[in-house]
Amino acid sequence: MSTIFSKIINKEIPADIVFETDTILAFKDVNPQAPVHILIIPKVEIPKVTDIIVKEHDGLLGEMIDAANKLAKEMGIAEDGFRLVFNCGDKGGQEVYHLHLHLLGGRQMKWPPG
Ligand code: DGP
C-alpha cells in the first residue's frame, strides 16, 4: 500500500530533497532528531526491511549506503561519525511503511537507543 513517501517521490507533496537518482530519493526528515536527519528511500515500494529480497535489492541497498556516505561527507559529519538506522515494524518504531534509511548526525549519539 502506498504511503506519504510515494507522494513525496511523485512530487505531489513538498519535501526538502537533498539527493535524487532514478532509483532513490533523499530528503530531510520533517521531525529531525539530530542536527542532520535525512531519510534515504528507494523509489520502488518496499514496505520494510523484512520485505527486502537481497538477490533482487542488493544494488538498491548499495546505492542507499553510497548516498548516505556522500551526504554525510557533504553535511560535514563523516569524520566525526553518524548513525544509520532502519526501523522495522511496530516494535522497531517504524511509522511509515515505505523502506527508509535514517541518516542521523551532528550530535553525540547514545546507546542503547530508546
Ligand atoms: P520511522 O519511524 O522509522 O517510520 O520514520 C519515519 C520518519 O518519517 C519520521 O522520522 C518522520 C518522517 N516523516 C513522516 N512523514 C513525513 C513527511 O511527510 N515529510 C518528511 N520530510 N518526513 C516525514
Side-chain angles (χ1 to χ4, degrees):
M1 204 177 77
S2 291
T3 70
I4 194 144
F5 288 178
S6 293
K7 291 194 168 70
I8 291 175
I9 291 165
N10 295 326
K11 314 282 163 61
E12 289 163 16
I13 62 166
D16 195 343
I17 292 170
V18 290
F19 184 62
E20 180 168 17
T21 69
D22 288 346
T23 48
I24 64 170
L25 186 69
F27 51 94
K28 292 187 181 173
D29 194 294
V30 77
N31 182 24
Q33 300 301 310
V36 175
H37 189 172
I38 292 168
L39 302 174
I40 300 155
I41 71 171
K43 288 189 173 176
V44 65
E45 287 181 13
I46 301 169
K48 57 191 166 103
V49 167
T50 46
D51 296 309
I52 292 170
I53 301 161
V54 171
K55 279 190 178 161
E56 195 178 317
H57 299 130
D58 63 340
L60 197 57
L61 294 170
E63 281 185 58
M64 291 168 71
I65 300 287
D66 274 353
N69 281 327
K70 169 189 153 59
L71 289 165
K73 281 189 196 121
E74 282 176 13
M75 304 282 169
I77 58 171
E79 286 296 315
D80 285 346
F82 54 88
R83 184 169 287 174
L84 297 179
V85 176
F86 282 113
N87 292 327
C88 182
D90 289 348
K91 286 203 172 165
Q94 186 172 5
E95 290 172 3
V96 179
Y97 281 79
H98 183 123
L99 187 73
H100 50 281
L101 180 61
H102 293 259
L103 166 62
L104 295 143
R107 67 167 169 83
Q108 180 61 53
M109 296 295 155
K110 295 181 184 134
W111 195 264

